[in-house]
Amino acid sequence: MVETCGQHIKRRRTETQPLKLSRAERWNVVDEEDVFMDILSRVSVKSIWSLKTLSKHWHGSISTTYFCKLQLAHSRKNPSFIVCPTLETSMKLYSMDSRSFELSTLNTIDPSERSHGVSLYMISSFNGLICCVNVIFDEDVESKFFDLQIWICNPCTGETLLLPQGRPSFECEPCVGVAYSSDTSDYRIFRIFCTGKKIPEERESVEGYYVREGYAYECEMFSSSTGSWKNIGLVPCVPMDCGLRPYKTGHICVGGKVYWLVSLDEPGKILSVNLEGRFKVINLPEYKANQKGEDKITEATHLINLKGSLALLVLHPGYMDIWVLKDDGETYSWVPVPLLKVRIRIKDDELVLTVTSLKNKIICVTETHWHIYNVDTGKWKKIRGPRTGFGYPAVFPFTESILPCNGGVKL
């Protein structure tokens, strides 16, 4: 039986200073501690953080694994969005209410160890933490290798963690993806890079290898539980470039698996990898052969998490398709969402910069507006964005937490 926070505190007290109380009185202390911790876990992270400095007792209580998970469990019941409207040297973050869609200032992340003069870009949000990347400025202009600094940050507490550097990538920036699950103490970062080593021609056609211009691509995996990178070998394909996002960071994590779009050309592909580092290539849904090109997979195709399942959002002129992936581990299929041919309230001259989702809402971000679609009701809502507009915006579902950037491994 796992002891509660109150039981843990009582045991520590009695070990150091035995209480001269009756058994009933001691259990009353435990009950009071549990009630206090439950109440405290429901207040804002800013308020919780300020209490850590009031006493050693409160600092110790708030820093336990039990309390961190309790606070996160309550926070998940009322998720919001975390927004970075523009790509700037100092990353200004905002919290957006999931009902009113009103923005409020959250924090500014500007770590001193960041490579000089470059901008941070948010690529993922999980368990109250975010992952950000920035290019490493190399003074050697003749160098053919590129790399990224990868950061884990807690926007509510302001804590930042710079991950160890991986292996540099030859003539291209690494592709990065973040995997996480319900286990708050462990997350994985995947970075796909070009080795810079030529592959013999006789091996280029071997299945399971991805080779571009004679060079192979491999993947490294970082685990928060070990704090180090591990090479997990060659990759079967490489995520595609997206001109609307800096770096090759367009991915999504659903059910502990990372998914990247690889190609939109028929038959179209998705690359996935699970927490154990096993890769899988998934074909995109097939449209009818007699359909026009604009009615098939378009350049405005996005991966989203739709109510806990991987979904493909395909934007067409005037309408959209939504496909949900059904995967039992051995076979998979794409199932169209019943609301097909949904009319889009986005004008043809509006460019969709990024897409995110939360529960039954899909949010398309253009240069000036939020376009929110409710999957259950089939209704659209249009809201004006920041006055300054959007420039390489990053928007993700978010829950406040007090977890440390290592995921709470050493709590």
Side-chain angles (χ1 to χ4, degrees), residues 14 28 140-141 159 345 353 356:
T14 54
N28 284 336
D140 183 4
V141 295
E159 182 190 3
R345 297 298 179 88
L353 302 177
T356 190

Side-chain angles (χ1 to χ4, degrees), residues 297-365:
I297 297 295
T298 69
E299 292 184 358
T301 297
H302 305 266
L303 298 176
I304 61 173
N305 183 337
L306 186 60
K307 300 181 180 182
S309 297
L310 176 70
L312 191 73
L313 174 68
V314 185
L315 301 177
H316 303 276
Y319 74 98
M320 68 183 182
D321 294 333
I322 304 174
W323 300 77
V324 175
L325 179 68
K326 302 295 182 182
D327 189 352
D328 62 8
E330 296 182 1
T331 60
Y332 67 87
S333 62
W334 290 97
V335 180
V337 172
L339 294 175
L340 294 177
K341 300 293 182 182
V342 176
R343 298 301 301 175
I344 294 181
R345 297 298 179 88
I346 305 174
K347 298 179 181 178
D348 292 341
D349 60 349
E350 288 187 276
L351 180 64
V352 176
L353 302 177
T354 189
V355 173
T356 190
S357 60
L358 177 61
K359 297 181 179 179
N360 63 338
K361 294 184 178 68
I362 299 174
I363 300 179
C364 300
V365 184

Side-chain angles (χ1 to χ4, degrees), residues 274-310:
N274 62 14
L275 291 168
E276 288 72 42
R278 297 189 183 93
F279 287 97
K280 182 177 181 178
V281 178
I282 300 170
N283 289 331
L284 296 183
E286 295 183 4
Y287 283 77
K288 295 179 180 179
N290 60 354
Q291 286 183 289
K292 297 179 181 180
E294 64 182 20
D295 292 326
K296 297 183 180 181
I297 297 295
T298 69
E299 292 184 358
T301 297
H302 305 266
L303 298 176
I304 61 173
N305 183 337
L306 186 60
K307 300 181 180 182
S309 297
L310 176 70

Side-chain angles (χ1 to χ4, degrees), residues 115-376:
S115 187
H116 179 69
V118 297
S119 301
L120 276 175
Y121 183 64
M122 180 170 57
I123 66 171
S124 179
S125 168
F126 60 100
N127 297 330
L129 305 176
I130 61 173
C131 181
C132 310
V133 299
N134 65 265
V135 69
I136 295 179
F137 179 74
D138 194 342
E139 295 182 356
D140 183 4
V141 295
E142 296 183 357
S143 175
K144 294 185 178 181
F145 286 90
F146 297 83
D147 206 354
L148 301 173
Q149 285 184 314
I150 304 176
W151 302 83
I152 302 297
C153 312
N154 186 319
C156 294
T157 65
E159 182 190 3
T160 60
L161 173 66
L162 175 62
L163 301 190
Q165 289 303 127
R167 184 174 168 183
S169 182
F170 182 71
E171 293 190 338
C172 65
E173 294 166 346
C175 310
V176 181
V178 183
Y180 50 90
S181 64
S182 57
D183 182 2
T184 59
S185 64
D186 194 16
Y187 56 81
R188 310 291 170 88
I189 312 292
F190 296 91
R191 57 186 303 280
I192 299 172
F193 62 97
C194 179
T195 62
K197 294 181 179 179
K198 283 281 188 178
I199 297 294
E201 292 185 5
E202 61 272 15
R203 295 182 61 190
E204 287 189 14
S205 60
V206 176
E207 185 176 358
Y209 285 86
Y210 177 81
V211 179
R212 179 185 291 175
E213 298 180 357
Y215 296 105
Y217 286 71
E218 297 180 356
C219 182
E220 290 179 325
M221 178 177 70
F222 175 89
S223 171
S224 61
S225 60
T226 64
S228 60
W229 293 96
K230 175 185 177 182
N231 191 303
I232 57 176
L234 296 161
V235 296
C237 50
V238 172
M240 62 183 285
D241 291 308
C242 179
L244 301 178
R245 290 174 179 160
Y247 323 118
K248 293 182 180 180
T249 55
H251 73 283
I252 192 167
C253 179
V254 182
K257 296 180 181 179
V258 177
Y259 298 90
W260 293 273
L261 280 171
V262 172
S263 173
L264 298 178
D265 298 329
E266 291 188 71
K269 294 180 180 179
I270 291 173
L271 176 65
S272 75
V273 62
N274 62 14
L275 291 168
E276 288 72 42
R278 297 189 183 93
F279 287 97
K280 182 177 181 178
V281 178
I282 300 170
N283 289 331
L284 296 183
E286 295 183 4
Y287 283 77
K288 295 179 180 179
N290 60 354
Q291 286 183 289
K292 297 179 181 180
E294 64 182 20
D295 292 326
K296 297 183 180 181
I297 297 295
T298 69
E299 292 184 358
T301 297
H302 305 266
L303 298 176
I304 61 173
N305 183 337
L306 186 60
K307 300 181 180 182
S309 297
L310 176 70
L312 191 73
L313 174 68
V314 185
L315 301 177
H316 303 276
Y319 74 98
M320 68 183 182
D321 294 333
I322 304 174
W323 300 77
V324 175
L325 179 68
K326 302 295 182 182
D327 189 352
D328 62 8
E330 296 182 1
T331 60
Y332 67 87
S333 62
W334 290 97
V335 180
V337 172
L339 294 175
L340 294 177
K341 300 293 182 182
V342 176
R343 298 301 301 175
I344 294 181
R345 297 298 179 88
I346 305 174
K347 298 179 181 178
D348 292 341
D349 60 349
E350 288 187 276
L351 180 64
V352 176
L353 302 177
T354 189
V355 173
T356 190
S357 60
L358 177 61
K359 297 181 179 179
N360 63 338
K361 294 184 178 68
I362 299 174
I363 300 179
C364 300
V365 184
T366 63
E367 294 177 337
T368 56
H369 287 82
W370 306 95
H371 296 265
I372 302 102
Y373 175 71
N374 189 310
V375 177
D376 295 335

